[in-house]
Structures are given as structure tokens and as C-alpha cells.
């Protein structure tokens, strides 16, 4: 019997049994879900909420950390978690989804003291979202021993000049009022109801102006101190002896004849023309010449006239020329008369028996001696240096946003007073009791007193 059952147990039975096993596992998973499933879906927040939260941490940090709470030494740090900030009531718990999504232990504020400033690192961790901003505060905010950074000088706010108004009153007698007119257009100009004026108002919520607000703009790379380390740096040099070398030095000179030179000497002076002349002057007035005259450099013949004389009998006719004669002279200058000749150049030399005289030049007399040779050797010193790192620093910008408020609009209806008298008066008091007692009422009109 056992053998018969074994023979009938085939592939179909195996598949059927495996199907039962898979179904059983599926039922277990469905009936007993995982711990992560029971905990619910992972919460997340928007980028706007994240920026608002990190801004709240930044504002609370800069307000809380006064001088006595900051690190004193350069390189010192102070750290506080978001949970500690909430526990100390430095800031309130985060709102809405942020309270569940953000890690109060992994989110923190760290302040590092540098030489001339404090760097605030504000780190926010909200699940899959984690980032930080850097805020720098200069010496003028906290420390006294730093190099001060000047604060901008605030401009004084000018005080507005108060505006003085005077108000119109009217006294009406012996007449009657007419019918009211239809209401006019809505206007922002305020109006007050009087005997001649009906006023309707309407409040509208609209833009009344703009204000400047600080919002996150972008992140920029900034170099800050990561940590300090000791390095061997060169601070100077020393001169050390490394050996000797031969050196030639000049010990004296001697004078010898070197040759001849050309020399020009002045032997006298002479007068030469400069090419410029004196002014023209009259030499002869109406001088008669037998022939026509021509101008020269030094003489001019002006106002020419021709005089002809007739002959008698066999005489011939004669023609004479009449001129006003002007003259001038050339301006002379004195010029040197020079003579050029070769003159010898004499120097002190030794008298020898040799007839042929050589030409010498000045040369150095040298002496060879051994002198020390030096080279520069660096001097090292162990010095603490800062190791820098690049961090992301939040940059904020000022933007303008609309400010809304309730604005009252007015529209009026008027009527006229007829068949009577109206007496108008002005007063700087809109509750002038003397005018009110005399029967005057306000018209609702006012004007600025200049």
C-alpha cells in the first residue's frame, strides 16, 4: 500500500503543496504586518516649511547667545540641540508636520569664535531633508578685543511737520432746503454729514502700501576655519659657510697716454645777418630818377609818378620817374670765429729710454686671494595654521510685499439751501463752542493753514 501511494506522488502534488506554503506565508504577512507598516508612512515637509523652521532657529539663536554665552578663545565652540532650545524656552516647538518630521537631537546650533567674528552654524535635520546655514556676526556685536568693523550710521528720520487745519461753519436763516441729489462716485476723501451733505461709507480690504521683508535667496560657498593644525613653516633665513672660492680685487690704478682728441677754439668774432630787418623809414620824398627803379631787400620805391617833358625844335622828349624812397637795415648778430685743430691728451707717464711710445689704457691691478663663500639656509618654526573648508552660506535678500488693510470709501449726496441767507465763518477748532452757540454748524469742509 505504501508503494502504491509513493508511485502516485508526482509533480502535480509537489506544485499543489508549494502553493499551500505560499498562501500560508501571505496570510501571515497580512495578519501580522511589519513594524514599519504599523508606524505609518514617513512624514515629510515642504521646502517653504523647512526654510521657515531654519529661519526660526537662526533668529532664536542670535537673540539668545549674548556675550557671556559665546566662546571666549579663538577656535572655541558652543553647541546646543533643537531639543535643548525648546526645553530652555529659547524657541517654541515646530508647528504642524515639522514637529513629527524633524529630529530634535540631530538638529543643532554651533557657534565658532574666529579672530574677527563669530560664525553661527544652524543645522536642521528633518528625515531625508538636512541642510544648514551660516550666520556671521562681527566684533561690534559682541567682543571688545577684536578688530572693529564699522557699523553703518543710521540716517535720522525727519520729524513730520504737523498740519494745521481750519474748519468752515455756516449759519442759515429764512430759507428752506431743496431735494437731495443722487449719490456720487466712491472716493477715499473723508466726508462728514452735515445739513447739506449725506454720506455713505463702504470698507474695502485692499493694498495700502508695501513693506520690505528678508527672504532666503540662495546658498554661496564660503571659506571658514575647519580646524587648526601645527605645520613647519619657513619664517626667515640664516647665512652659513659652505666653502671657499678665488676672488680678484682691484688694489690701485696708473695713468698712461691714451691718444689724441679734436679741439675747437674761438679765435675772434664777426657780424652776420639774422634774416630779420628794421621797420621801413622814409629816406627821400618825391625823388626824381631818369630811369624806372626796382625794389630791393633794403630799399623800396613807393608812390611812382611819371613826368614827361616835351622837346623844342629838334629836341627830344624826356621822361623822368618820381618815387618816395624808403629804406631799412638788416639786424646783425655777433658770431664766434672758431678754429679746429688736433691737440694731444697728456697724462702722467714714466720716462723711459724707449723711443717708441706705446698707447696705454687704464687697467685694473688685481690680487688673488681665497675668500669664504656663503649661501642662504632657511630657518623653520612650528606654527599653528588654520585648515579651511568650503561651506554653504545662506544669502538673504530684501523683497517688497504688498500690505493690505481696511480702506474706507465715501460717497455723498448734497442739497441746497434756498430763499434765505447763509453766513460762512472759518475756525481752527472743529468744536468751536462760541460759533455753535451762535447758531453756526459745520459744513464738513476744511482747509490747510499755510
Amino acid at each position: 500500500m505504501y508503494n502504491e501511494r509513493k508511485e502516485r506522488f508526482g509533480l502535480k502534488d509537489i506544485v499543489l503543496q508549494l502553493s499551500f506554503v505560499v498562501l500560508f506565508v501571505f496570510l501571515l504577512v497580512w495578519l501580522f504586518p511589519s513594524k514599519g507598516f504599523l508606524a505609518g508612512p514617513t512624514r515629510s515637509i515642504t521646502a517653504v516649511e523647512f526654510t521657515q523652521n531654519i529661519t526660526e532657529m537662526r533668529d532664536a539663536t542670535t537673540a539668545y547667545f549674548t556675550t557671556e554665552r559665546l566662546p571666549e578663545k579663538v577656535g572655541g565652540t558652543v553647541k546646543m540641540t533643537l531639543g535643548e532650545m525648546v526645553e530652555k524656552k529659547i524657541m517654541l516647538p515646530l508647528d504642524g508636520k515639522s514637529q513629527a518630521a524633524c529630529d530634535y537631537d540631530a538638529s543643532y546650533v554651533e557657534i565658532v569664535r574666529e579672530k574677527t567674528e563669530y560664525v553661527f552654524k544652524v543645522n536642521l535635520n528633518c528625515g531625508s531633508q538636512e541642510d544648514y546655514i551660516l550666520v556671521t556676526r562681527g566684533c561690534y556685536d559682541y567682543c571688545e578685543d577684536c578688530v572693529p568693523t564699522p557699523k553703518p550710521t543710521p540716517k535720522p528720520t525727519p520729524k513730520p511737520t504737523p498740519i494745521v487745519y481750519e474748519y468752515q461753519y455756516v449759519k442759515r436763516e429764512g430759507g428752506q432746503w431743496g431735494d437731495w441729489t443722487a449719490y456720487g462716485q466712491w472716493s477715499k476723501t473723508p466726508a462728514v454729514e452735515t445739513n447739506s451733505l449725506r454720506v455713505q461709507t463702504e470698507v474695502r480690504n485692499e493694498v495700502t502700501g508695501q513693506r520690505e521683508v528678508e527672504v532666503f535667496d540662495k546658498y554661496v560657498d564660503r571659506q571658514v576655519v575647519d580646524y587648526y593644525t601645527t605645520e613647519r613653516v619657513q619664517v626667515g633665513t640664516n647665512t652659513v659657510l659652505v666653502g671657499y672660492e678665488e676672488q680678484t680685487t682691484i688694489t690701485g690704478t696708473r695713468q698712461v697716454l691714451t691718444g689724441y682728441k679734436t679741439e675747437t677754439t674761438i679765435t675772434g668774432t664777426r657780424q652776420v645777418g639774422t634774416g630779420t630787418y628794421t621797420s621801413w623809414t622814409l629816406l627821400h620824398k618825391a625823388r626824381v630818377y631818369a630811369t624806372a627803379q626796382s625794389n630791393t631787400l633794403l630799399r623800396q620805391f613807393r608812390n611812382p609818378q611819371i613826368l614827361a617833358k616835351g622837346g623844342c625844335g629838334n629836341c627830344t622828349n624826356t621822361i623822368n620817374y618820381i618815387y618816395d624812397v624808403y629804406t631799412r637795415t638788416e639786424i646783425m648778430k655777433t658770431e664766434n670765429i672758431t678754429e679746429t685743430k688736433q691737440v694731444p691728451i697728456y697724462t702722467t707717464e714714466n720716462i723711459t729710454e724707449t723711443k717708441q711710445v706705446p698707447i696705454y689704457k687704464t687697467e685694473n691691478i688685481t690680487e688673488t686671494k681665497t675668500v669664504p663663500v656663503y649661501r642662504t639656509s632657511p630657518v623653520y618654526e612650528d606654527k599653528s595654521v588654520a585648515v579651511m573648508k568650503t561651506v554653504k552660506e545662506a544669502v538673504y535678500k530684501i523683497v517688497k510685499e504688498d500690505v493690505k488693510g481696511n480702506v474706507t470709501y465715501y460717497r455723498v449726496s448734497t442739497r441746497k439751501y434756498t430763499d434765505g441767507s447763509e453766513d460762512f465763518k472759518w475756525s481752527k477748532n472743529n468744536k468751536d463752542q462760541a460759533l455753535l452757540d451762535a447758531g453756526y454748524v459745520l459744513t464738513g469742509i476744511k482747509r490747510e493753514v499755510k
Side-chain angles (χ1 to χ4, degrees):
M1 182 177 180
Y2 174 77
N3 291 333
E4 293 177 356
R5 184 180 178 185
K6 184 176 181 181
E7 291 175 358
R8 292 196 303 267
F9 190 83
L11 180 62
K12 182 178 180 180
D13 297 306
I14 295 175
V15 173
L16 184 60
Q17 291 183 10
L18 287 176
S19 300
F20 279 115
V21 171
V22 172
L23 180 60
F24 180 75
V25 172
F26 176 79
L27 290 174
L28 287 178
V29 173
W30 182 69
L31 292 174
F32 304 99
S34 64
K35 181 180 179 181
F37 179 82
L38 292 175
T42 303
R43 292 185 174 93
S44 61
I45 62 175
T46 65
V48 174
E49 291 173 326
F50 189 90
T51 302
Q52 291 175 347
N53 294 336
I54 203 168
T55 302
E56 290 180 12
M57 291 180 63
R58 178 201 65 182
D59 296 340
T61 300
T62 54
Y64 174 76
F65 281 96
T66 55
T67 305
E68 60 273 6
R69 296 188 176 103
L70 293 170
E72 297 180 357
K73 296 182 179 180
V74 175
T77 60
V78 174
K79 187 175 181 179
M80 180 180 293
T81 66
L82 176 58
E84 293 172 336
M85 296 174 68
V86 174
E87 183 179 350
K88 293 182 178 182
K89 299 299 182 182
I90 300 174
M91 64 178 292
L92 296 174
L94 302 179
D95 295 333
K97 293 188 296 183
S98 300
Q99 186 169 2
C102 296
D103 191 329
Y104 277 49
D105 294 325
S107 302
Y108 62 88
V109 175
E110 185 179 36
I111 301 95
V112 180
R113 167 71 185 270
E114 297 187 357
K115 185 176 181 181
T116 60
E117 60 190 9
Y118 292 94
V119 178
F120 291 67
K121 180 181 180 181
V122 184
N123 185 84
L124 181 60
N125 184 314
C126 297
S128 61
Q129 298 170 273
E130 183 175 11
D131 208 338
Y132 65 90
I133 61 174
L134 295 177
V135 181
T136 302
R137 288 292 181 266
C139 294
Y140 56 80
D141 290 315
Y142 299 106
C143 57
E144 298 178 356
D145 58 340
C146 306
V147 179
T149 303
K151 281 186 175 181
T153 303
K155 295 182 179 180
T157 303
K159 294 183 178 180
T161 303
I163 301 175
V164 179
Y165 292 99
E166 59 180 3
Y167 304 86
Q168 188 186 58
Y169 289 80
V170 63
K171 181 178 181 182
R172 298 181 176 90
E173 294 178 336
Q176 61 180 2
W177 290 102
D179 295 331
W180 291 100
T181 63
Y183 283 97
Q185 298 293 326
W186 290 103
S187 170
K188 294 181 182 179
T189 304
V192 179
E193 284 199 354
T194 64
N195 291 333
S196 62
L197 194 69
R198 285 192 306 183
V199 179
Q200 286 185 345
T201 60
E202 180 180 275
V203 178
R204 303 176 185 176
N205 186 265
E206 60 184 31
V207 176
T208 59
Q210 287 188 321
R211 64 182 176 186
E212 292 183 345
V213 294
E214 185 183 41
V215 297
F216 173 77
D217 183 20
K218 61 183 177 181
Y219 289 105
V220 297
D221 291 339
R222 183 174 181 269
Q223 291 290 317
V224 297
V225 176
D226 187 12
Y227 60 91
Y228 289 87
T229 184
T230 300
E231 291 185 359
R232 191 170 181 82
V233 297
Q234 182 175 338
V235 296
T237 58
N238 282 335
T239 302
V240 296
L241 179 64
V242 295
Y244 293 88
E245 68 178 2
E246 291 187 351
Q247 180 177 303
T248 301
T249 59
I250 299 173
T251 59
T253 59
R254 55 191 172 201
Q255 296 294 319
V256 294
L257 177 65
T258 58
Y260 293 87
K261 67 178 180 179
T262 301
E263 185 178 273
T264 301
T265 58
I266 299 173
T267 59
T269 60
R270 62 187 174 192
Q271 296 294 315
V272 296
T274 62
T276 57
Y277 300 88
T278 61
S279 301
W280 293 99
T281 57
L282 182 62
L283 180 63
H284 301 292
K285 181 69 175 177
R287 179 113 182 225
V288 179
Y289 292 88
T291 59
Q293 302 297 311
S294 299
N295 293 332
T296 64
L297 281 176
L298 302 179
R299 182 165 295 190
Q300 284 188 353
F301 299 89
R302 302 179 183 176
N303 304 322
Q305 298 180 26
I306 300 176
L307 180 61
K309 294 183 179 180
C312 56
N314 294 328
C315 296
T316 60
N317 296 331
T318 60
I319 298 175
N320 291 325
Y321 299 88
I322 302 174
Y323 300 94
D324 291 336
V325 182
Y326 287 80
T327 185
R328 68 177 180 180
T329 59
E330 187 176 8
I331 298 174
M332 308 300 285
K333 67 177 181 179
T334 302
E335 180 180 75
N336 293 328
I337 300 174
T338 61
E339 177 184 1
T340 302
K341 60 181 179 180
Q342 294 287 328
V343 295
I345 301 172
Y346 293 98
T347 58
T348 301
E349 64 177 9
N350 295 326
I351 301 175
T352 65
E353 295 182 356
T354 304
K355 295 181 179 180
Q356 184 177 1
V357 180
I359 298 176
Y360 295 94
K361 66 178 180 180
T362 300
E363 63 181 14
N364 295 327
I365 301 174
T366 62
E367 176 185 4
T368 302
K369 62 181 179 180
T370 301
V371 295
V373 179
Y374 293 90
R375 65 176 175 85
T376 300
S377 175
V379 177
Y380 292 95
E381 178 182 274
D382 291 337
K383 184 178 180 181
S384 178
V385 295
V387 179
M388 309 301 290
K389 67 177 181 179
T390 302
V391 298
K392 296 290 186 181
E393 180 176 5
V395 177
Y396 293 83
K397 63 181 179 180
I398 302 297
V399 298
K400 290 185 177 181
E401 67 177 11
D402 294 337
V403 178
K404 285 192 173 184
N406 291 333
V407 179
T408 302
Y409 281 80
Y410 303 83
R411 67 177 182 177
V412 298
S413 171
T414 62
R415 63 178 179 176
K416 292 184 179 182
Y417 188 77
T418 60
D419 299 331
S421 63
E422 291 181 320
D423 183 26
F424 294 93
K425 291 186 181 298
W426 291 92
S427 173
K428 294 180 180 178
N429 187 352
N430 62 350
K431 296 180 181 179
D432 194 323
Q433 194 60 44
L435 291 176
L436 294 174
D437 293 342
Y440 288 86
V441 294
L442 288 167
T443 65
I445 299 175
K446 66 179 180 180
R447 63 187 180 187
E448 184 179 345
V449 179
K450 302 295 185 178

